[in-house]
């Protein structure tokens, strides 16, 4: 009847890279950054697949990914 409720979750993770000025200054750009971000990527627990340890219900964990570019002129 009892389950181990311990878990470890990677909730948000963002990796980004800013292109050095020597490569972008000729294009008239002050800053150029590329990034990728993810939400609810991993959960390490002993619960059945798809069960969210933070909610305790039977809803599936929704993962999301984002790829972006930031440009300053």
């Amino acid at each position: 009847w009892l389950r181990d409720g311990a878990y470890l979750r990677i909730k948000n993770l963002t990796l980004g890279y800013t292109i050095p000025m020597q490569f972008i200054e000729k294009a008239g750009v002050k800053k150029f950054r590329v990034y990728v971000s993810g939400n609810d990527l991993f959960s390490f627990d002993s619960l059945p697949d798809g069960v969210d340890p933070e909610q305790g219900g039977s809803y599936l964990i929704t993962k999301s990914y984002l790829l972006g570019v930031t440009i300053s002129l």
Side-chain angles (χ1 to χ4, degrees):
W1 293 91
L2 296 177
R3 291 194 179 178
D4 183 7
Y7 69 94
L8 173 68
R9 171 174 278 176
I10 297 176
K11 189 79 170 171
N12 301 309
L13 181 65
T14 302
L15 299 173
Y17 181 71
T18 302
I19 308 296
M21 284 294 294
Q22 62 197 27
F23 297 116
I24 60 172
E25 64 187 351
K26 292 179 183 176
V29 175
K30 292 181 183 175
K31 184 176 179 181
F32 189 93
R33 183 172 188 261
V34 179
Y35 62 92
V36 62
S37 179
N39 292 322
D40 293 323
L41 299 177
F42 303 104
S43 180
F44 305 99
D45 56 48
S46 60
L47 298 172
D49 289 340
V51 175
D52 187 345
E54 291 180 355
Q55 189 175 39
S58 60
Y59 296 103
L60 296 176
I61 298 171
T62 304
K63 296 178 183 181
S64 62
Y65 303 95
L66 178 67
L67 176 64
V69 175
T70 303
I71 301 172
S72 298
L73 302 175

